[in-house]
Structure formats: structure tokens, C-alpha cells
């Protein structure tokens, strides 16, 4: 199913395979669902698989920035308590512990391939301040130019929003815009955007191509949240709007699937593409 008229896209829309092929600068947002097992534990196997594919892309000349969720889950895994605590200070404490675990996991995984990682913890305010903006940009460019993989996350300790709405989709979009990416890839636990929540409606139909986000929002239902009570598909659609405005494409793909990036790059898997 295609949503949106083809006015601004007179020529044929590129396939996901072609988009990936043409994109040099790619931001990958990895959601909590992708990084965790069904039991809510950190899924090191999935992380390894994603890192392995990203390294392949980097060796092929692509530049990569990762925006990663998962600090909360890693925190629970590390300390094995507080997971039922609803109080904000405990959630933030868990993220403070888990962020270290998360970065340690990335560091070890990338080290296998002789890559270094760098951590950037950002808040929404950082993007609204001109001078901070400049410094973030310069740091990102320097890391990427030097072949280091930047890993961005929201600074959970100071930003309440992240825990409330799991807004790393927006963080991914802001990062893509700031860096001037060609493509934002959002990895979640669904094959793309459907006309209704596929977890609740087995007959839901997938939407492959979107060129009009308002029309998309009018035509689908987005009810239902995940077990972490975070963003859901709406923040992903709004992230697409943010990057599309700057001419950056976004693809929503199923990060739960082994080799998803490899398969998308050679046309064996699709997702939902939002054209910028
Ligand atoms: P992540 O933690 O990977 O960022 P979220 O759980 O926040 O992902 O968002 C994805 C979830 O949104 C899906 O697992 C699905 O249950 C839900 N959802 C609700 N409506 C839709 C829809 N129309 N199309 C796709 N997913 C939907």
C-alpha cells in the first residue's frame, strides 16, 4: 500500500534497496524492543548481529551514527531490582546504571572489529541552543571522520520526557537533521507501519511507501503501547515528518529479524519508507 500522492516525487519512488545503496550518511535508531529479549533481558545476540552489519556498511564506505535506547533494560539486568518501581528517581537511577552497561556492550562488540565508539548524551535543549548545536555537530563530524562510531542517547538523568514517552525516535530525527544524514533507519519490533496495530489485529495491512504523513495519520489507527510503555508508532511517524522536511528519507524496519540491514540492502526485506 502506498500513502500520499506522487506530486513532489514525479519520478518513480526509489526502492528501499536503492535508497540504502545511495545513502552514505546513515543514522540508525535502535529501539528497546530490538535490544531486548521477550523476557525483557538485553539481547546480546541481536546487538552483535546489528553491529556486524553496521561494520560491513562502514567498510563499504558508509558513515554511521547510532541512536540507542535500552539503558533502562540494561540497568535492570545489571542490578536485578527496582524493575517494578514506578518512581521517576528509580527509573532514572536504573538508566544511569544501565547506560554504562549498554556502552560497555557496544564497546566490546565494536572492538571485535577494531572500531572505537564514542558516547553522546543529549537533551532536547541541546538541540535548541545554537552554540551547543555547533559543538554537537563538530563532535559528531570529528568522530565519524576519524572512523569512530558515535552512540547517542538521551541524557535520562536530566530529561523526564524520555522515560515518559521514550522519545528516542525524535532524538534520532534531530540527530539526522543536525548531521545532515541521507537516511534515518528506525529499528523496531514490527515490519513497518500498518493500517492498525498488527499486535492486536492479525489482518492489519502494511504500508510500504509514504509521501504524505498527514494522509497517513488520517488513514491508520495507532492505538496500543508496548510493554515498556514508551513511544509507539506515533513518535516514529513524527520522526519521519521531522527528517522528511529536510529532504532526509526514513525507513522503519524490523530490528528483531536477523540480518535485517543486510537483507534490506539487497532487496530481500522491506519496511515502510517515508520519502523526504
Ligand atoms: P520501540 O521500542 O522499538 O521504539 P514501540 O514499541 O515504541 O517501539 O513502537 C512500536 C509498536 O507500536 C509496535 O510494536 C506496535 O505494537 C505499535 N503500533 C500501534 N499501532 C501501530 C500501527 N498502525 N502500525 C505499526 N505499529 C503499531
Amino acid at each position: 500500500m502506498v500513502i500520499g500522492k506522487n506530486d513532489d516525487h514525479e519520478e518513480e519512488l526509489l526502492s528501499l534497496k536503492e535508497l540504502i545503496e545511495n545513502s552514505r550518511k546513515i543514522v540508525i535508531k535502535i529501539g528497546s524492543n530490538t535490544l531486548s529479549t521477550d523476557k525483557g533481558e538485553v539481547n546480546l545476540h541481536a546487538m552483535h548481529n546489528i553491529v556486524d552489519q553496521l561494520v560491513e556498511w562502514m567498510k563499504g564506505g558508509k558513515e554511521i551514527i547510532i541512536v540507542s535506547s535500552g539503558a533502562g533494560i540494561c540497568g535492570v539486568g545489571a542490578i536485578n531490582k527496582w524493575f517494578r518501581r514506578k518512581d521517576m528517581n528509580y527509573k532514572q537511577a536504573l538508566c544511569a546504571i544501565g547506560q554504562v552497561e549498554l556502552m560497555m556492550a557496544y564497546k566490546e562488540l565494536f572492538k571485535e572489529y577494531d572500531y572505537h565508539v564514542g558516547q553522546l548524551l543529549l537533551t532536547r535543549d541541546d538541540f535548541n541552543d545554537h552554540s551547543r548545536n555547533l559543538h554537537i555537530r563538530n563532535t559528531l563530524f570529528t568522530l565519524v571522520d576519524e572512523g569512530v562510531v558515535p552512540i547517542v542517547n538521551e541524557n535520562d538523568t536530566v530529561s523526564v520526557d524520555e522515560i515518559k514517552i521514550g522519545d528516542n525516535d525524535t532524538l534520532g530525527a534531530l540527530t539526522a537533521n543536525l548531521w545532515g544524514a541521507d537516511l534515518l533507519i528506525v529499528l523496531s519490533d514490527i515490519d513497518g507501519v500498518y493500517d492498525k496495530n498488527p499486535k492486536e489485529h492479525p489482518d492489519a495491512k502494511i504500508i510500504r511507501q509514504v509521501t504524505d504523513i498527514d494522509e497517513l495519520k488520517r488513514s491508520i489507527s495507532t492505538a496500543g503501547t508496548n510493554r515498556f510503555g514508551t513511544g509507539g508508532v506515533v513518535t516514529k511517524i513524527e520522526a519521519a515528518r521531522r527528517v522528511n522536511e529536510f529532504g532526509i528519507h526514513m525507513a522503519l524496519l524490523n530490528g528483531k529479524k536477523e540480518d535485517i540491514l543486510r537483507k534490506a540492502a539487497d532487496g530481500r526485506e522491506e519496511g515502510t519508507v517515508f520519502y523526504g
Side-chain angles (χ1 to χ4, degrees), residues 29 31-34 169 187-190 192-199 220-226 228 230-233 235-236:
K29 185 265 172 170
S32 320
N33 286 329
T34 308
D169 298 317
L187 295 180
S188 185
D189 66 341
I190 31 159
V193 176
Y194 289 75
D195 60 348
K196 49 194 168 185
N197 190 347
K199 299 261 179 72
I220 67 168
S221 138
T222 54
T225 52
N226 66 33
F228 303 111
T230 51
V233 80
T235 55
K236 291 166 186 48

Side-chain angles (χ1 to χ4, degrees), residues 10 14-15 86 93-94 123 133 139 159 205 215 219 235 273:
E10 278 147 24
L14 292 180
S15 65
K86 295 273 179 272
L94 270 180
T123 64
N133 240 291
T139 309
S159 52
K205 288 188 190 56
E215 195 182 325
S219 1
T235 55
V273 179

Side-chain angles (χ1 to χ4, degrees), residues 83-102:
F83 40 88
R84 283 186 223 289
R85 301 289 299 241
K86 295 273 179 272
D87 358 5
M88 189 58 68
N89 52 322
Y90 274 94
K91 286 188 175 188
Q92 288 175 318
L94 270 180
C95 289
I97 296 164
Q99 181 63 27
V100 181
E101 301 289 323
L102 185 69

